Amino acid sequence: STSTEHFGKPVPQPLAAEASQLDALNQWVMEVARLTEPARIQWCDGSDSEHDELVELMQDDGTLLPLNPDTHPNSWLHLSDPDDVARVEHLTFVCTGDAETAGPNNHWMAPDEAHAKMDALFAGCMRGRTMYVVPYCMGPIDSPLARCGVEVTDSPYVVANMRIMTRMGAAALARIEREGSFVRGLHSIGELDPERRFIMHFPEELLIKSYGSGYGGNALLGKKCHALRIASYQARQEGWLAEHMLIVGIENPQGETHYIAAAFPSACGKTNLAMLIPPESYRRAGWKVWTVGDDICWMRPGADGRLWAINPEAGYFGVAPGTSAKSNPNALASIQRDTIFTNVATTADRQPWWEGLDDRVPAKDWQGRDYDRNNSPAAHPNSRFTVSAKQCPSYSPHAEDPQGVPISAIVFGGRRASLVPLVFEARDWTHGVLVGASMGSETTAAATGAVGVMRRDPMAMKPFCGYNFADYFAHWLSFDKPGAKLPKIFHVNWFRKGDDGQFLWPGFGDNLRVLEWMIGRVKGEARAVDTPIGALPKADDLNLEGVELTPEAQDKLFAFEREGWLREFDGIAGYLNEYGGRLPSALLVEQKNIAATLRG
Ligand code: SAT
Ligand code: MN
């Protein structure tokens, strides 16, 4: 590690001081083995033969069920424990020495207490099981922005997913040997008992301990635990950003490509936006869309002052329900082979199926039971596909550039049935940080708990920021300095509803119309009207040729509703106050100024 400061205090550098990172890794693996007592240890090299053996093993024990090899070659179905189908935010902790460092946005536990609790759970938990040692790299293996980790797990399903979602195996191990530090992740499915389940992060030790879940973000530790919670903490120390954002390249008919990074909460359409198919008229004119990433974005200022971004992941862990030839043909094309499906339904001929795919009737539901329409939905609302990024037809030829891609615009967005217009632009960086910090969204099935409840979800990082949001906002503000050529910041809302409860904006491919307007703003070409909340387009500032909008939609999607925003800003003030004196004053000043303008 290059960092010797931890929030202003010097930190010990235990790993950098080791003779070799491999010694450090070996020592830790042995320590873990003494604690968990596995029957055997397998170091994963990422090879095809290793993968084939794992798949065979999982077929034998029923962890993986084969899908129809004629329609979906090399594809598998995994059905998780019905009590283990989503991230568990109430059981997810950030364990820093000081509770204030974790902040009110995280559940906190003192590191000693957390270690004791977790080690008691891990004691002997791998008896009779194989312990897999999984070295992985987040980001292109030759990228200076990439970071490595090692996950130790007793779940072959996790290994198979990590092989798709990360650069896993020998190359990662070689990079770890060269590098100053790596993130350690200890994982066991334990008994899959929700009462014995915790996801603990120790950012000061670059360490994760996860017990009792085999699902997604709880178990694939490279993803949310490393690439967001631990990485956001490291990014603050080292001057970069680890964000819950897709990255998409928009190529115009002149052949210029602008890269946009966009933050939306889980299950709010990041994958669809990242893989967008342009409307017919745009396609004919020569517009193209390139997918760089669909969930996580690591970015840092380059020598030219711009922000350069990589996708730390190598695959997509996408939400299945709603994915169809109409909503996301690129995703559908990606998952016709070499895909792991989790908690979807199946047809009589063992094809994967979910609500919104097509009008076939499934034979089995996500629990493997005969489908019964009274027991719907057939696929779990948070069911997923895991697939290599390379299988996506729109995968960007620059997705693996070691230096990343330059970001022209940052977009924040949530699910808001009312008030929030289709799009607006922040006046400047500080205003944009406030826009991100005050994001609100209705909750989805990606985490356990109530669905459809409005909550504040700053930068879509509420479940993922590894430290105090007040410090995170200050970190964001710190990028605005001499020489910086920062992207413009926008806010979008694809989810505005009319009085009849129906969505007012068609979304999906038509979202390109909004992205085109943003790029026009970046280039100083597109028009907008200044309002207290930012610059809004009028309907005819966008290319809406071929879109049927009702008069209500025309009105609401482009309206600035002063009364509603006054109330919204009261809510935002109340939320920001939860961070007390630690909140950067520039953000409070911004919020107070806008509130004053709103009052007129
Ligand atoms: O389960 S994951 O955290 O990987 C998916 C998500 O919630 O975004
Ligand atoms: Mn996500």
PDB file of all heavy atoms in Angstrom, residues 85-87 89 215-218 220 223-224 229 244 265-267 270 295 313 317 319 382 384 444-447 464, ligand 1:
ATOM      1  N   VAL A  85     -31.950 -14.981  -0.024  1.00  0.00           N
ATOM      2  CA  VAL A  85     -32.239 -14.593  -1.400  1.00  0.00           C
ATOM      3  C   VAL A  85     -31.886 -13.135  -1.713  1.00  0.00           C
ATOM      4  O   VAL A  85     -32.214 -12.639  -2.788  1.00  0.00           O
ATOM      5  CB  VAL A  85     -33.736 -14.811  -1.720  1.00  0.00           C
ATOM      6  CG1 VAL A  85     -34.064 -16.293  -1.734  1.00  0.00           C
ATOM      7  CG2 VAL A  85     -34.611 -14.073  -0.721  1.00  0.00           C
ATOM      8  N   ALA A  86     -31.233 -12.443  -0.799  1.00  0.00           N
ATOM      9  CA  ALA A  86     -30.926 -11.029  -1.038  1.00  0.00           C
ATOM     10  C   ALA A  86     -29.882 -10.559  -0.025  1.00  0.00           C
ATOM     11  O   ALA A  86     -29.604 -11.247   0.956  1.00  0.00           O
ATOM     12  CB  ALA A  86     -32.182 -10.170  -0.909  1.00  0.00           C
ATOM     13  N   ARG A  87     -29.326  -9.379  -0.294  1.00  0.00           N
ATOM     14  CA  ARG A  87     -28.422  -8.785   0.692  1.00  0.00           C
ATOM     15  C   ARG A  87     -29.181  -8.528   1.991  1.00  0.00           C
ATOM     16  O   ARG A  87     -30.382  -8.281   1.988  1.00  0.00           O
ATOM     17  CB  ARG A  87     -27.857  -7.462   0.165  1.00  0.00           C
ATOM     18  CG  ARG A  87     -26.705  -7.632  -0.825  1.00  0.00           C
ATOM     19  CD  ARG A  87     -26.120  -6.301  -1.227  1.00  0.00           C
ATOM     20  NE  ARG A  87     -27.058  -5.544  -2.029  1.00  0.00           N
ATOM     21  CZ  ARG A  87     -27.777  -4.516  -1.586  1.00  0.00           C
ATOM     22  NH1 ARG A  87     -27.654  -4.092  -0.341  1.00  0.00           N
ATOM     23  NH2 ARG A  87     -28.612  -3.896  -2.384  1.00  0.00           N
ATOM     24  N   GLU A  89     -29.020  -5.977   4.794  1.00  0.00           N
ATOM     25  CA  GLU A  89     -28.391  -4.741   5.254  1.00  0.00           C
ATOM     26  C   GLU A  89     -28.383  -4.649   6.776  1.00  0.00           C
ATOM     27  O   GLU A  89     -27.455  -4.096   7.366  1.00  0.00           O
ATOM     28  CB  GLU A  89     -29.090  -3.530   4.616  1.00  0.00           C
ATOM     29  CG  GLU A  89     -28.857  -3.525   3.105  1.00  0.00           C
ATOM     30  CD  GLU A  89     -29.539  -2.378   2.358  1.00  0.00           C
ATOM     31  OE1 GLU A  89     -30.107  -1.484   3.018  1.00  0.00           O
ATOM     32  OE2 GLU A  89     -29.491  -2.394   1.119  1.00  0.00           O
ATOM     33  N   TYR A 215     -25.550 -15.902  -0.763  1.00  0.00           N
ATOM     34  CA  TYR A 215     -26.172 -15.115  -1.822  1.00  0.00           C
ATOM     35  C   TYR A 215     -25.398 -13.874  -2.236  1.00  0.00           C
ATOM     36  O   TYR A 215     -25.002 -13.070  -1.387  1.00  0.00           O
ATOM     37  CB  TYR A 215     -27.590 -14.685  -1.408  1.00  0.00           C
ATOM     38  CG  TYR A 215     -28.382 -14.310  -2.632  1.00  0.00           C
ATOM     39  CD1 TYR A 215     -29.017 -15.291  -3.373  1.00  0.00           C
ATOM     40  CD2 TYR A 215     -28.406 -13.009  -3.086  1.00  0.00           C
ATOM     41  CE1 TYR A 215     -29.686 -14.979  -4.538  1.00  0.00           C
ATOM     42  CE2 TYR A 215     -29.078 -12.677  -4.259  1.00  0.00           C
ATOM     43  CZ  TYR A 215     -29.716 -13.672  -4.975  1.00  0.00           C
ATOM     44  OH  TYR A 215     -30.366 -13.355  -6.134  1.00  0.00           O
ATOM     45  N   GLY A 216     -25.256 -13.678  -3.522  1.00  0.00           N
ATOM     46  CA  GLY A 216     -24.815 -12.425  -4.152  1.00  0.00           C
ATOM     47  C   GLY A 216     -23.879 -11.586  -3.313  1.00  0.00           C
ATOM     48  O   GLY A 216     -22.807 -12.033  -2.897  1.00  0.00           O
ATOM     49  N   GLY A 217     -24.303 -10.352  -3.078  1.00  0.00           N
ATOM     50  CA  GLY A 217     -23.473  -9.374  -2.391  1.00  0.00           C
ATOM     51  C   GLY A 217     -23.043  -9.802  -0.990  1.00  0.00           C
ATOM     52  O   GLY A 217     -22.076  -9.271  -0.445  1.00  0.00           O
ATOM     53  N   ASN A 218     -23.718 -10.777  -0.387  1.00  0.00           N
ATOM     54  CA  ASN A 218     -23.307 -11.260   0.932  1.00  0.00           C
ATOM     55  C   ASN A 218     -22.107 -12.194   0.839  1.00  0.00           C
ATOM     56  O   ASN A 218     -21.393 -12.388   1.827  1.00  0.00           O
ATOM     57  CB  ASN A 218     -24.432 -12.073   1.596  1.00  0.00           C
ATOM     58  CG  ASN A 218     -25.705 -11.279   1.796  1.00  0.00           C
ATOM     59  OD1 ASN A 218     -25.664 -10.057   1.909  1.00  0.00           O
ATOM     60  ND2 ASN A 218     -26.834 -11.969   1.835  1.00  0.00           N
ATOM     61  N   LEU A 220     -20.275 -13.141  -2.582  1.00  0.00           N
ATOM     62  CA  LEU A 220     -19.264 -12.889  -3.617  1.00  0.00           C
ATOM     63  C   LEU A 220     -18.514 -11.652  -3.145  1.00  0.00           C
ATOM     64  O   LEU A 220     -18.859 -10.526  -3.457  1.00  0.00           O
ATOM     65  CB  LEU A 220     -19.920 -12.637  -4.975  1.00  0.00           C
ATOM     66  CG  LEU A 220     -21.007 -13.645  -5.384  1.00  0.00           C
ATOM     67  CD1 LEU A 220     -21.607 -13.260  -6.723  1.00  0.00           C
ATOM     68  CD2 LEU A 220     -20.414 -15.048  -5.439  1.00  0.00           C
ATOM     69  N   LYS A 223     -17.392  -8.244  -4.823  1.00  0.00           N
ATOM     70  CA  LYS A 223     -18.376  -7.299  -5.350  1.00  0.00           C
ATOM     71  C   LYS A 223     -18.631  -6.151  -4.366  1.00  0.00           C
ATOM     72  O   LYS A 223     -17.847  -5.218  -4.270  1.00  0.00           O
ATOM     73  CB  LYS A 223     -19.640  -8.079  -5.715  1.00  0.00           C
ATOM     74  CG  LYS A 223     -20.590  -7.329  -6.611  1.00  0.00           C
ATOM     75  CD  LYS A 223     -21.716  -8.220  -7.076  1.00  0.00           C
ATOM     76  CE  LYS A 223     -22.755  -7.517  -7.923  1.00  0.00           C
ATOM     77  NZ  LYS A 223     -22.244  -6.786  -9.088  1.00  0.00           N
ATOM     78  N   LYS A 224     -19.733  -6.201  -3.618  1.00  0.00           N
ATOM     79  CA  LYS A 224     -20.084  -5.054  -2.774  1.00  0.00           C
ATOM     80  C   LYS A 224     -19.120  -4.891  -1.597  1.00  0.00           C
ATOM     81  O   LYS A 224     -18.781  -3.783  -1.210  1.00  0.00           O
ATOM     82  CB  LYS A 224     -21.516  -5.193  -2.257  1.00  0.00           C
ATOM     83  CG  LYS A 224     -22.535  -5.473  -3.329  1.00  0.00           C
ATOM     84  CD  LYS A 224     -22.712  -4.313  -4.283  1.00  0.00           C
ATOM     85  CE  LYS A 224     -23.695  -4.728  -5.362  1.00  0.00           C
ATOM     86  NZ  LYS A 224     -24.350  -3.665  -6.062  1.00  0.00           N
ATOM     87  N   ARG A 229     -17.438  -1.365  -0.349  1.00  0.00           N
ATOM     88  CA  ARG A 229     -17.266  -0.918   1.046  1.00  0.00           C
ATOM     89  C   ARG A 229     -15.792  -0.719   1.400  1.00  0.00           C
ATOM     90  O   ARG A 229     -15.397   0.346   1.872  1.00  0.00           O
ATOM     91  CB  ARG A 229     -17.942  -1.891   2.019  1.00  0.00           C
ATOM     92  CG  ARG A 229     -19.446  -1.965   1.800  1.00  0.00           C
ATOM     93  CD  ARG A 229     -20.216  -2.618   2.931  1.00  0.00           C
ATOM     94  NE  ARG A 229     -21.596  -2.846   2.501  1.00  0.00           N
ATOM     95  CZ  ARG A 229     -22.044  -3.996   1.970  1.00  0.00           C
ATOM     96  NH1 ARG A 229     -21.235  -5.053   1.844  1.00  0.00           N
ATOM     97  NH2 ARG A 229     -23.294  -4.113   1.572  1.00  0.00           N
ATOM     98  N   HIS A 244     -21.108   3.068  -6.902  1.00  0.00           N
ATOM     99  CA  HIS A 244     -22.141   2.116  -7.329  1.00  0.00           C
ATOM    100  C   HIS A 244     -22.730   2.617  -8.646  1.00  0.00           C
ATOM    101  O   HIS A 244     -23.860   3.090  -8.688  1.00  0.00           O
ATOM    102  CB  HIS A 244     -23.209   2.048  -6.226  1.00  0.00           C
ATOM    103  CG  HIS A 244     -24.177   0.916  -6.385  1.00  0.00           C
ATOM    104  ND1 HIS A 244     -25.450   0.949  -5.859  1.00  0.00           N
ATOM    105  CD2 HIS A 244     -24.059  -0.289  -6.983  1.00  0.00           C
ATOM    106  CE1 HIS A 244     -26.085  -0.172  -6.137  1.00  0.00           C
ATOM    107  NE2 HIS A 244     -25.262  -0.945  -6.819  1.00  0.00           N
ATOM    108  N   PRO A 265     -29.797   2.992  -7.331  1.00  0.00           N
ATOM    109  CA  PRO A 265     -29.851   1.909  -6.346  1.00  0.00           C
ATOM    110  C   PRO A 265     -30.011   0.550  -7.033  1.00  0.00           C
ATOM    111  O   PRO A 265     -30.361   0.486  -8.211  1.00  0.00           O
ATOM    112  CB  PRO A 265     -31.093   2.259  -5.516  1.00  0.00           C
ATOM    113  CG  PRO A 265     -31.273   3.735  -5.702  1.00  0.00           C
ATOM    114  CD  PRO A 265     -30.827   4.020  -7.104  1.00  0.00           C
ATOM    115  N   SER A 266     -29.759  -0.526  -6.276  1.00  0.00           N
ATOM    116  CA  SER A 266     -29.902  -1.882  -6.800  1.00  0.00           C
ATOM    117  C   SER A 266     -31.299  -2.077  -7.384  1.00  0.00           C
ATOM    118  O   SER A 266     -32.285  -1.628  -6.802  1.00  0.00           O
ATOM    119  CB  SER A 266     -29.679  -2.907  -5.683  1.00  0.00           C
ATOM    120  OG  SER A 266     -28.413  -2.729  -5.106  1.00  0.00           O
ATOM    121  N   ALA A 267     -31.341  -2.780  -8.514  1.00  0.00           N
ATOM    122  CA  ALA A 267     -32.610  -3.126  -9.163  1.00  0.00           C
ATOM    123  C   ALA A 267     -33.394  -1.891  -9.624  1.00  0.00           C
ATOM    124  O   ALA A 267     -34.620  -1.848  -9.526  1.00  0.00           O
ATOM    125  CB  ALA A 267     -33.467  -4.026  -8.258  1.00  0.00           C
ATOM    126  N   LYS A 270     -29.747  -0.253 -13.794  1.00  0.00           N
ATOM    127  CA  LYS A 270     -28.373   0.030 -14.231  1.00  0.00           C
ATOM    128  C   LYS A 270     -27.969  -0.866 -15.398  1.00  0.00           C
ATOM    129  O   LYS A 270     -27.376  -0.408 -16.366  1.00  0.00           O
ATOM    130  CB  LYS A 270     -27.365  -0.148 -13.073  1.00  0.00           C
ATOM    131  CG  LYS A 270     -27.348   1.009 -12.087  1.00  0.00           C
ATOM    132  CD  LYS A 270     -26.119   1.015 -11.193  1.00  0.00           C
ATOM    133  CE  LYS A 270     -25.984  -0.208 -10.306  1.00  0.00           C
ATOM    134  NZ  LYS A 270     -27.142  -0.426  -9.402  1.00  0.00           N
ATOM    135  N   ASP A 295     -22.459  -2.034 -12.784  1.00  0.00           N
ATOM    136  CA  ASP A 295     -22.761  -1.949 -11.347  1.00  0.00           C
ATOM    137  C   ASP A 295     -21.749  -1.129 -10.546  1.00  0.00           C
ATOM    138  O   ASP A 295     -22.131  -0.443  -9.614  1.00  0.00           O
ATOM    139  CB  ASP A 295     -22.845  -3.369 -10.763  1.00  0.00           C
ATOM    140  CG  ASP A 295     -23.489  -3.412  -9.382  1.00  0.00           C
ATOM    141  OD1 ASP A 295     -24.456  -2.667  -9.156  1.00  0.00           O
ATOM    142  OD2 ASP A 295     -23.016  -4.179  -8.525  1.00  0.00           O
ATOM    143  N   GLU A 313     -15.300  -5.102 -12.241  1.00  0.00           N
ATOM    144  CA  GLU A 313     -15.851  -6.452 -12.387  1.00  0.00           C
ATOM    145  C   GLU A 313     -15.591  -7.010 -13.785  1.00  0.00           C
ATOM    146  O   GLU A 313     -15.318  -6.269 -14.725  1.00  0.00           O
ATOM    147  CB  GLU A 313     -17.352  -6.444 -12.118  1.00  0.00           C
ATOM    148  CG  GLU A 313     -17.673  -5.967 -10.709  1.00  0.00           C
ATOM    149  CD  GLU A 313     -19.112  -6.192 -10.345  1.00  0.00           C
ATOM    150  OE1 GLU A 313     -19.986  -5.415 -10.778  1.00  0.00           O
ATOM    151  OE2 GLU A 313     -19.366  -7.159  -9.607  1.00  0.00           O
ATOM    152  N   PHE A 317     -23.918  -9.549 -12.616  1.00  0.00           N
ATOM    153  CA  PHE A 317     -24.794 -10.290 -11.714  1.00  0.00           C
ATOM    154  C   PHE A 317     -26.130  -9.552 -11.790  1.00  0.00           C
ATOM    155  O   PHE A 317     -26.456  -8.734 -10.948  1.00  0.00           O
ATOM    156  CB  PHE A 317     -24.197 -10.286 -10.299  1.00  0.00           C
ATOM    157  CG  PHE A 317     -24.957 -11.094  -9.287  1.00  0.00           C
ATOM    158  CD1 PHE A 317     -25.066 -12.480  -9.415  1.00  0.00           C
ATOM    159  CD2 PHE A 317     -25.553 -10.495  -8.193  1.00  0.00           C
ATOM    160  CE1 PHE A 317     -25.758 -13.227  -8.474  1.00  0.00           C
ATOM    161  CE2 PHE A 317     -26.249 -11.244  -7.248  1.00  0.00           C
ATOM    162  CZ  PHE A 317     -26.351 -12.606  -7.387  1.00  0.00           C
ATOM    163  N   VAL A 319     -30.282  -8.651 -12.480  1.00  0.00           N
ATOM    164  CA  VAL A 319     -31.629  -9.046 -12.068  1.00  0.00           C
ATOM    165  C   VAL A 319     -32.325  -9.689 -13.268  1.00  0.00           C
ATOM    166  O   VAL A 319     -32.404  -9.081 -14.332  1.00  0.00           O
ATOM    167  CB  VAL A 319     -32.443  -7.817 -11.612  1.00  0.00           C
ATOM    168  CG1 VAL A 319     -33.876  -8.212 -11.259  1.00  0.00           C
ATOM    169  CG2 VAL A 319     -31.777  -7.129 -10.426  1.00  0.00           C
ATOM    170  N   ASN A 382     -35.719 -11.114  -6.856  1.00  0.00           N
ATOM    171  CA  ASN A 382     -34.284 -10.790  -6.870  1.00  0.00           C
ATOM    172  C   ASN A 382     -33.469 -11.923  -7.500  1.00  0.00           C
ATOM    173  O   ASN A 382     -32.292 -12.093  -7.220  1.00  0.00           O
ATOM    174  CB  ASN A 382     -33.787 -10.500  -5.444  1.00  0.00           C
ATOM    175  CG  ASN A 382     -32.406  -9.844  -5.436  1.00  0.00           C
ATOM    176  OD1 ASN A 382     -32.062  -9.052  -6.314  1.00  0.00           O
ATOM    177  ND2 ASN A 382     -31.595 -10.198  -4.443  1.00  0.00           N
ATOM    178  N   ARG A 384     -31.303 -13.882 -10.286  1.00  0.00           N
ATOM    179  CA  ARG A 384     -30.173 -13.261 -10.990  1.00  0.00           C
ATOM    180  C   ARG A 384     -29.585 -14.170 -12.053  1.00  0.00           C
ATOM    181  O   ARG A 384     -29.747 -15.387 -12.018  1.00  0.00           O
ATOM    182  CB  ARG A 384     -29.060 -12.960  -9.961  1.00  0.00           C
ATOM    183  CG  ARG A 384     -29.477 -12.024  -8.832  1.00  0.00           C
ATOM    184  CD  ARG A 384     -29.236 -10.598  -9.196  1.00  0.00           C
ATOM    185  NE  ARG A 384     -29.758  -9.650  -8.214  1.00  0.00           N
ATOM    186  CZ  ARG A 384     -29.393  -8.369  -8.183  1.00  0.00           C
ATOM    187  NH1 ARG A 384     -28.518  -7.901  -9.026  1.00  0.00           N
ATOM    188  NH2 ARG A 384     -29.923  -7.543  -7.304  1.00  0.00           N
ATOM    189  N   THR A 444     -36.225  -1.646  -3.232  1.00  0.00           N
ATOM    190  CA  THR A 444     -36.516  -2.751  -4.152  1.00  0.00           C
ATOM    191  C   THR A 444     -36.233  -4.094  -3.473  1.00  0.00           C
ATOM    192  O   THR A 444     -35.789  -4.129  -2.322  1.00  0.00           O
ATOM    193  CB  THR A 444     -35.623  -2.663  -5.409  1.00  0.00           C
ATOM    194  OG1 THR A 444     -34.271  -2.955  -5.027  1.00  0.00           O
ATOM    195  CG2 THR A 444     -35.679  -1.280  -6.043  1.00  0.00           C
ATOM    196  N   ALA A 445     -36.445  -5.175  -4.232  1.00  0.00           N
ATOM    197  CA  ALA A 445     -36.257  -6.528  -3.684  1.00  0.00           C
ATOM    198  C   ALA A 445     -34.788  -6.938  -3.583  1.00  0.00           C
ATOM    199  O   ALA A 445     -34.490  -8.046  -3.162  1.00  0.00           O
ATOM    200  CB  ALA A 445     -37.004  -7.547  -4.548  1.00  0.00           C
ATOM    201  N   ALA A 446     -33.856  -6.040  -3.962  1.00  0.00           N
ATOM    202  CA  ALA A 446     -32.436  -6.415  -3.913  1.00  0.00           C
ATOM    203  C   ALA A 446     -31.937  -6.613  -2.492  1.00  0.00           C
ATOM    204  O   ALA A 446     -30.916  -7.250  -2.271  1.00  0.00           O
ATOM    205  CB  ALA A 446     -31.589  -5.378  -4.639  1.00  0.00           C
ATOM    206  N   ALA A 447     -32.631  -6.028  -1.529  1.00  0.00           N
ATOM    207  CA  ALA A 447     -32.282  -6.264  -0.128  1.00  0.00           C
ATOM    208  C   ALA A 447     -33.535  -6.755   0.582  1.00  0.00           C
ATOM    209  O   ALA A 447     -34.656  -6.442   0.160  1.00  0.00           O
ATOM    210  CB  ALA A 447     -31.773  -4.983   0.526  1.00  0.00           C
ATOM    211  N   PHE A 464     -23.557   0.715   0.787  1.00  0.00           N
ATOM    212  CA  PHE A 464     -22.234   0.306   0.303  1.00  0.00           C
ATOM    213  C   PHE A 464     -21.075   1.209   0.698  1.00  0.00           C
ATOM    214  O   PHE A 464     -19.919   0.873   0.439  1.00  0.00           O
ATOM    215  CB  PHE A 464     -22.259   0.188  -1.227  1.00  0.00           C
ATOM    216  CG  PHE A 464     -23.362  -0.698  -1.747  1.00  0.00           C
ATOM    217  CD1 PHE A 464     -24.314  -0.221  -2.624  1.00  0.00           C
ATOM    218  CD2 PHE A 464     -23.448  -2.028  -1.340  1.00  0.00           C
ATOM    219  CE1 PHE A 464     -25.332  -1.038  -3.107  1.00  0.00           C
ATOM    220  CE2 PHE A 464     -24.459  -2.850  -1.806  1.00  0.00           C
ATOM    221  CZ  PHE A 464     -25.412  -2.352  -2.696  1.00  0.00           C
TER     222      PHE A 464
HETATM  223  O1  SAT B   1     -26.542  -8.925  -4.237  1.00  0.00           O
HETATM  224  S1  SAT B   1     -25.806  -7.838  -4.874  1.00  0.00           S
HETATM  225  O2  SAT B   1     -25.392  -6.863  -3.874  1.00  0.00           O
HETATM  226  O3  SAT B   1     -24.620  -8.332  -5.534  1.00  0.00           O
HETATM  227  C1  SAT B   1     -26.772  -7.092  -6.031  1.00  0.00           C
HETATM  228  C2  SAT B   1     -27.238  -5.753  -5.647  1.00  0.00           C
HETATM  229  O4  SAT B   1     -27.940  -5.604  -4.648  1.00  0.00           O
HETATM  230  O5  SAT B   1     -26.909  -4.780  -6.345  1.00  0.00           O
END
